[in-house]
Amino acid sequence: MGAWSEKALGNDEALDWLNRLASQRDASAYIMAAVDREIGANDPPERSSETIAAAAIIAAAACEPIGPLSKEAKAWIVEHGFVPNHAMIAKALIAMERITTQSEMRDIWDECDELPRWLKENKRIIDSLKARGADSLPARNPKKKSIPRSLPKLLEAYAKNPQEPLQTKLHEKLRALTDLNDIGPETDYQLPLSLVAAHGLVEETRLLLDWGADPNAAGSLISPPPLSCAYGHVEVAKILLARGAQLFNKVTNHSMTKHLPQDAATDSWHGRTGFRYSQPLLHAARLGTVEVIDLFIAHGADIHQKDLNGETLLHNACEVGNIYVVQHLIRLGLDINATTAADATALHYAVYNNHITPVQLLLDAGAQPNIISQEWGTVLDILAEEPDSNLATLIRRYGGLTSAELGS
């Protein structure tokens, strides 16, 4: 199940933001982008969650010892030696005061009768920011790190901190690979090009292609092809497409493969015509960005594709809580009430995984809360053990009922 809490880093959107922070080359700019977005804006609640997370990190990092924060966030502050300046503190304070007095997020917590608890938690962050506004700030230096020995760890380290010594070592290791189109223990059984693409490394993607890496090399169940790994990096995806990466895939009959791609040569699927399945588009819907999805659409991908279980891209985006993609797919006109072979909607997937913002987006767009799936019943049946939860209250406001209440 997902998470939704009054804590600054207690919900899915904030945790996703924190995970992305770990891979930023300019962490301060990334943190301030979340703060600046809120000032003078009218952002949806998921953006406010990111702003609160950023403000909490700023408030905690301005103290010595580091203030109250999750273990993961504290570890990031220590590792990077992060200390905000007074301008960051001042902006974070403005943003937090706006969120707690006039925001859609405040309205949601008010409607769920949880506003006092939410305000109390955020007052702690505001008070901490105010207390540090004029005080001297701590001195903190980033931890020195040795160069990782394994290629996957080296790639991860370089993506987070693209310094020349790391790049030199990385290029040496890539050059030393005996077969750029094979998987083995030295690459953690991943295709080298897939590893590089997953980290969004533009220069290294070009180098591997120049050295003979095949953009359509077949990996394994745990190593998707390179284009599928570029789901969050539009520039890398553009390079791979320009160098011949295939957007459409041949059918695999592997018994463990859930999403069976369609052979583009026949352009048909179980008697359907005009249908082509794109595995890279599926990966982009689940884990990627709006920009990558638009790129694939521009190259002929069909946003209305379904897998053999009947799952649409919207089902997949809602299953993992990819908020921006959910918003985008709704805007592009996907059928929000489309059902799988088991009669489950995207709303069922979002509720089952406790992704409250996608649930709100779907309901606002007209999703029907009383469609009965074979496995779960209605979406309120999923929440039978949590009838008074914020999520159940939200669904009730849109007319949601249980199967029993519907007489089914």
Side-chain angles (χ1 to χ4, degrees), residues 70-190:
S70 69
K71 180 175 69 174
E72 294 79 8
K74 282 186 176 181
W76 179 86
I77 291 172
V78 171
E79 178 183 342
H80 293 268
F82 175 69
V83 179
N85 57 40
H86 284 101
M88 295 175 75
I89 294 171
K91 281 194 171 185
L93 180 58
I94 293 170
M96 286 297 296
E97 288 178 336
R98 181 189 179 281
I99 290 172
T100 54
T101 57
Q102 48 174 344
S103 69
E104 186 177 342
M105 172 164 275
R106 178 194 164 98
D107 294 341
I108 289 175
W109 282 95
D110 193 17
E111 290 168 0
C112 294
D113 297 323
E114 299 283 356
L115 183 61
R117 185 161 58 96
W118 180 75
L119 287 175
K120 180 180 179 181
E121 176 64 22
N122 286 292
K123 184 178 183 297
R124 181 188 60 77
I125 298 173
I126 290 172
D127 289 346
S128 178
L129 291 168
K130 286 180 177 178
R132 305 305 300 177
D135 290 351
S136 60
L137 297 171
R140 193 175 289 129
N141 295 313
K143 280 188 172 181
K144 290 185 177 180
K145 290 185 175 182
S146 58
I147 295 179
R149 298 179 65 181
S150 75
L151 179 59
K153 291 292 185 182
L154 182 56
L155 275 165
E156 183 179 346
Y158 177 65
K160 292 179 181 179
N161 185 24
Q163 300 298 318
E164 186 174 344
L166 288 174
Q167 186 182 53
T168 300
K169 189 66 176 177
L170 172 59
H171 289 188
E172 289 175 0
K173 281 193 170 291
L174 291 173
R175 269 292 195 188
L177 294 173
T178 55
D179 187 347
L180 293 176
N181 299 311
D182 195 12
I183 59 176
E186 68 274 16
T187 63
D188 198 20
Y189 297 95
Q190 309 286 312

Side-chain angles (χ1 to χ4, degrees), residues 5-308:
S5 162
E6 77 279 3
K7 299 292 185 182
L9 291 167
N11 61 72
D12 290 331
E13 289 74 32
L15 290 171
D16 288 345
W17 178 88
L18 180 62
N19 287 336
R20 293 192 298 271
L21 172 62
S23 63
Q24 297 302 308
R25 298 188 179 188
D26 188 343
S28 293
Y30 178 75
I31 291 171
M32 286 312 298
V35 171
D36 289 336
R37 226 176 7 238
E38 187 69 37
I39 298 174
N42 186 25
D43 279 335
E46 69 275 2
R47 289 299 181 97
S48 294
S49 293
E50 295 176 359
T51 303
I52 293 172
I57 286 178
I58 290 171
C63 302
E64 186 60 52
I66 297 169
L69 208 57
S70 69
K71 180 175 69 174
E72 294 79 8
K74 282 186 176 181
W76 179 86
I77 291 172
V78 171
E79 178 183 342
H80 293 268
F82 175 69
V83 179
N85 57 40
H86 284 101
M88 295 175 75
I89 294 171
K91 281 194 171 185
L93 180 58
I94 293 170
M96 286 297 296
E97 288 178 336
R98 181 189 179 281
I99 290 172
T100 54
T101 57
Q102 48 174 344
S103 69
E104 186 177 342
M105 172 164 275
R106 178 194 164 98
D107 294 341
I108 289 175
W109 282 95
D110 193 17
E111 290 168 0
C112 294
D113 297 323
E114 299 283 356
L115 183 61
R117 185 161 58 96
W118 180 75
L119 287 175
K120 180 180 179 181
E121 176 64 22
N122 286 292
K123 184 178 183 297
R124 181 188 60 77
I125 298 173
I126 290 172
D127 289 346
S128 178
L129 291 168
K130 286 180 177 178
R132 305 305 300 177
D135 290 351
S136 60
L137 297 171
R140 193 175 289 129
N141 295 313
K143 280 188 172 181
K144 290 185 177 180
K145 290 185 175 182
S146 58
I147 295 179
R149 298 179 65 181
S150 75
L151 179 59
K153 291 292 185 182
L154 182 56
L155 275 165
E156 183 179 346
Y158 177 65
K160 292 179 181 179
N161 185 24
Q163 300 298 318
E164 186 174 344
L166 288 174
Q167 186 182 53
T168 300
K169 189 66 176 177
L170 172 59
H171 289 188
E172 289 175 0
K173 281 193 170 291
L174 291 173
R175 269 292 195 188
L177 294 173
T178 55
D179 187 347
L180 293 176
N181 299 311
D182 195 12
I183 59 176
E186 68 274 16
T187 63
D188 198 20
Y189 297 95
Q190 309 286 312
L191 287 168
L193 189 56
S194 294
L195 279 172
V196 168
H199 287 292
L201 300 179
V202 172
E203 181 180 348
E204 285 67 32
T205 297
R206 289 197 178 101
L207 281 175
L208 287 180
L209 289 166
D210 290 343
W211 295 344
D214 180 359
N216 295 304
S220 66
L221 282 177
I222 61 171
S223 178
L227 192 57
S228 290
C229 295
Y231 49 76
H233 307 287
V234 68
E235 292 304 319
V236 170
K238 287 179 180 178
I239 293 168
L240 291 170
L241 286 168
R243 300 290 284 269
Q246 295 297 312
L247 188 54
F248 305 102
N249 314 85
K250 291 184 178 181
V251 171
T252 173
N253 61 2
H254 196 291
S255 60
M256 293 178 63
T257 302
K258 177 181 179 183
H259 302 285
L260 297 178
Q262 172 55 34
D263 187 338
T266 62
D267 200 24
S268 63
W269 178 72
H270 279 228
R272 301 186 188 186
T273 59
F275 184 95
R276 295 191 293 176
Y277 196 94
S278 170
Q279 192 175 29
L281 181 62
L282 168 69
H283 282 262
R286 292 182 66 84
L287 302 169
T289 65
V290 167
E291 292 76 16
V292 173
I293 285 178
D294 285 344
L295 173 68
F296 290 164
I297 292 172
H299 280 75
D302 181 3
I303 61 166
H304 298 288
Q305 72 177 31
K306 294 183 179 181
D307 66 18
L308 296 184

Side-chain angles (χ1 to χ4, degrees), residues 315 337-349 351-352 368-382 401-403 406 408:
H315 282 89
N337 292 311
T339 57
T340 66
D343 299 320
T345 64
L347 187 61
H348 282 97
Y349 281 44
V351 171
Y352 181 76
Q368 298 297 319
N370 295 325
I371 294 175
I372 299 175
S373 78
Q374 298 173 30
E375 180 179 2
W376 293 314
T378 70
V379 290
L380 274 182
D381 290 332
I382 296 173
L401 298 169
T402 64
S403 296
L406 289 169
S408 300

